[in-house]
Amino acid sequence: MSFQQWSALLKEGFNATSFVATYLCFLHVTNTYLFTHAWVYGPSMLPTFSVTGNLVLAERVSTRLGKVGRGDVVLIRSPQNPRKVVTKRLVGMEGDTITYVVDPKNSDRRETIVVPKGHVWIEGDNIYATSDSRKFGPVPYGLLHGRVFCK
Amino acid sequence: MGKWKTLAQAAIERTAIVAKFICLYHITDTYLFSPTIVRFISFSVCQCVNGGVEIDRWILQVSGPSMLPTLNMTGDVILAEYVSHRLGKVGPGDVVLVRSPENPRKTISKRIVGMEGDTVTYLVDPNFSLRSRTILVPKGHVWIQGDNMYASKDSRHYGPIPYGLILGKVFCRDYMSAMLGLKSYDV
């Protein structure tokens, strides 16, 4: 092929790539700063979310502005596995006194704890089958990923 | 009418170019590397923290001279990269940028001393006693300590921190400003 044809081909390839890159860029910025989608599954948030899975929309603005509060369902990066993002309900903010049932399957024992500064207390809606702050303690606010607002 | 249309088109084109540049800059800044000014201030000065994420990336305020002698007390320009911690390639001995577990808007820089599963022996309060404690770092957490253990608030104070709070790894310090006389170093 002649030089002309090569350069035309390259130019077209470059245009197409830059178009795709721009689109991905835009998608990424929206995902990080505006809202994102997530597929939540598992028994820990029954009956709010089903076991087999729900597609939810989570917005990422309130966590950065500090506007999440008690009762919000949040996406949070797991303190036990940093590659996993889990969905739980925010039950207590810093400074709150939380009384929780330690192990509802085996006993009725309750414990009371004050959430330290900069941390939040998260619990799954289904306390019989969830691994949450009752197991690994209050999590730092910095691990919050987003707030679920739509399912 | 036609003139307005061409004007609007030109404006949109210009805006698109600026938006694309900002996008590209942001991606590099968040996911590859960025220069950061690490500034150390004493406890008595109030911290004025800007809420925007971009500004957080540029200016770090760490209370106290906690990373002496590695990093200067009055401030250092460093290059931090944001790739290694996502690949799980940070390890003991690395200086990392970490979101503070006590104040989520603050980014602090400390050294990783132990990864999950490691046994860490540390001096609880070297200013007052030689008492030491040994702890096992739980799964998904890291143990961070400032180089200047006499004046550093770190994992000895608030325990092991989740790996997810690590923002980036410091890999380079800018010596050019010192050599060009733009900064003076306190030794």
Side-chain angles (χ1 to χ4, degrees):
Chain A
M1 275 207 273
S2 74
F3 176 72
Q4 294 275 41
Q5 287 169 312
W6 272 116
S7 71
L9 204 67
L10 276 174
K11 207 162 163 194
E12 200 179 322
F14 181 71
N15 275 351
T17 318
S18 68
F19 177 73
V20 172
T22 317
Y23 174 69
L24 287 177
C25 225
F26 175 73
L27 201 66
H28 164 79
V29 173
T30 317
N31 255 9
T32 316
Y33 290 102
L34 293 176
F35 55 89
T36 181
H37 66 282
W39 182 255
V40 299
Y41 60 93
S44 66
M45 284 294 287
L46 285 170
T48 317
F49 297 127
S50 70
V51 179
T52 42
N54 276 109
L55 189 68
V56 299
L57 275 181
E59 51 99 355
R60 309 201 57 184
V61 179
S62 356
T63 40
R64 292 182 205 275
L65 300 176
K67 294 229 179 295
V68 283
R70 299 167 200 88
D72 289 338
V73 178
V74 288
L75 297 179
I76 192 165
R77 201 169 282 280
S78 162
Q80 289 176 320
N81 182 354
R83 295 187 197 272
K84 219 168 64 163
V85 176
V86 297
T87 319
K88 300 278 179 257
R89 195 177 291 272
L90 208 114
V91 168
M93 304 293 291
E94 64 183 12
D96 289 349
T97 319
I98 306 278
T99 309
Y100 63 98
V101 183
V102 178
D103 193 4
K105 275 204 264 206
N106 296 328
S107 76
D108 271 335
R109 186 169 67 97
R110 292 182 145 72
E111 268 192 32
T112 310
I113 194 172
V114 176
V115 182
K117 185 171 176 303
H119 288 65
V120 294
W121 188 269
I122 55 167
E123 275 185 28
D125 282 351
N126 179 12
I127 53 172
Y128 296 96
T130 172
S131 149
D132 51 18
S133 282
R134 294 173 303 141
K135 181 160 161 231
F136 44 72
V139 288
Y141 187 98
L143 288 178
L144 279 178
H145 204 243
R147 184 178 73 100
V148 173
F149 67 95
C150 183
K151 83 168 167 182
Chain B
M1 190 59 215
K3 216 165 68 158
W4 282 116
K5 201 166 146 190
T6 36
L7 208 67
Q9 259 176 339
I12 289 179
E13 263 172 57
R14 295 274 169 86
T15 322
I17 293 176
V18 172
K20 276 186 231 182
F21 173 72
I22 291 179
C23 225
L24 192 68
Y25 168 75
H26 165 78
I27 301 276
T28 321
D29 190 64
T30 315
Y31 290 102
L32 294 176
F33 56 85
S34 83
T36 319
I37 301 171
V38 182
R39 195 182 299 146
F40 297 89
I41 58 177
S42 65
F43 283 103
S44 59
V45 177
C46 284
Q47 288 168 336
C48 164
V49 181
N50 297 310
V53 174
E54 294 297 342
I55 303 183
D56 272 351
R57 293 262 182 268
W58 283 94
I59 299 179
L60 261 63
Q61 295 170 332
V62 176
S63 333
S66 65
M67 282 295 286
L68 285 172
T70 313
L71 295 175
N72 195 17
M73 196 161 120
T74 46
D76 258 338
V77 179
I78 56 163
L79 268 183
E81 49 98 352
Y82 299 108
V83 179
S84 327
H85 76 100
R86 291 179 205 275
L87 304 174
K89 293 223 179 304
V90 286
D94 291 336
V95 178
V96 288
L97 298 178
V98 153
R99 202 185 290 278
S100 163
E102 291 190 331
N103 183 353
R105 292 184 197 276
K106 218 166 68 162
T107 317
I108 56 179
S109 75
K110 298 275 182 263
R111 199 179 287 272
I112 293 184
V113 169
M115 303 294 288
E116 62 185 12
D118 288 349
T119 323
V120 176
T121 310
Y122 61 97
L123 288 171
V124 178
D125 197 358
N127 283 317
F128 296 114
S129 76
L130 285 175
R131 187 167 65 102
S132 71
R133 277 187 65 186
T134 310
I135 195 169
L136 181 71
V137 181
K139 186 171 172 307
H141 289 66
V142 295
W143 187 272
I144 56 168
Q145 276 185 215
D147 282 354
N148 181 11
M149 54 176 191
Y150 297 98
S152 157
K153 209 157 96 156
D154 46 31
S155 282
R156 298 173 299 149
H157 174 88
Y158 36 67
I161 60 163
Y163 187 97
L165 286 179
I166 296 179
L167 293 173
K169 185 169 88 151
V170 174
F171 69 96
C172 186
R173 177 158 60 164
D174 169 30
Y175 285 104
M176 283 303 284
S177 334
M179 290 201 298
L180 294 175
L182 294 173
K183 278 175 36 56
S184 64
Y185 275 84
D186 295 335
V187 178

